[in-house]
Amino acid sequence: MAMTEATTGRTESIDGVVVPVPDGWEVVDQPGLSLTVAGPAGTAVADGTTFRPSLSAIVVDAADDADIRLLGTEAVAAAMSVADDVHVVAYDLWPLPDGTTGRRLEFTYQAGPVPLCVRQWVALRGGEVVTLTATCDVAHLTQVGPVLEHLAGTALATQETR
């Protein structure tokens, strides 16, 4: 999937966060998540299992004393609880368009027969915590990773004021 395919005119919005929906992708109902867009299924592994790349956006009210450093640490702790074999690849600062800094976390883990890569961006914006979580199978990371990065960057760059 080329980067330009991530820049179609179709978008979905949740709590002021606008997420582009690339051609061939769809909005899927995910209980407990605010908004999820998912791509086409990837190549099947030996047992026939396929995995769809996705980006989920969750927006919650921030506590009055919310601190992005603590929110980032909580994201790392939550990632470590996903599975027994989580490997944190990167945890760093994420510069935002408004001059503030969020946190970006990347980790991998095995989900049944499919090794997954997860990129998560956490930002404290206008009294809200915005968490974007992109997931794809490792085999398609070089192909889909740039699209997921573009979707996440666009989502916060175009965040609407509520």
Side-chain angles (χ1 to χ4, degrees):
M1 175 176 295
M3 177 72 86
T4 56
E5 290 180 85
T7 58
T8 65
R10 184 170 169 230
T11 62
E12 290 289 330
S13 179
I14 188 73
D15 294 333
V17 175
V18 180
V19 179
V21 182
D23 285 339
W25 289 51
E26 66 180 325
V27 176
V28 294
D29 184 26
Q30 293 282 16
L33 298 176
S34 296
L35 172 65
T36 299
V37 295
T43 305
V45 294
D47 73 349
T49 302
T50 60
F51 188 84
R52 298 175 72 182
S54 64
L55 178 79
S56 298
I58 299 173
V59 181
V60 297
D61 290 334
D64 290 338
D65 61 349
D67 182 316
I68 191 62
R69 295 170 296 185
L70 179 58
L71 293 169
T73 301
E74 290 172 351
V76 173
M80 298 303 290
S81 69
V82 167
D84 291 333
D85 57 352
V86 171
H87 301 281
V88 174
V89 176
Y91 175 72
D92 49 27
L93 302 178
W94 181 40
L96 299 168
D98 66 1
T100 62
T101 305
R103 299 298 185 266
R104 184 184 71 91
L105 169 65
E106 184 170 344
F107 62 96
T108 63
Y109 72 99
Q110 189 76 25
V114 183
L116 297 178
C117 178
V118 178
R119 290 182 180 159
Q120 189 170 65
W121 301 267
V122 180
L124 190 55
R125 306 282 304 267
E128 296 175 321
V129 179
V130 178
T131 304
L132 303 170
T133 304
T135 308
C136 75
D137 59 305
V138 171
H140 292 94
L141 182 59
T142 57
Q143 180 183 16
V144 179
V147 174
L148 294 169
E149 290 276 345
H150 175 76
L151 296 179
T154 301
L156 281 179
T158 59
Q159 184 177 5
E160 302 166 341
T161 303
R162 292 196 301 157

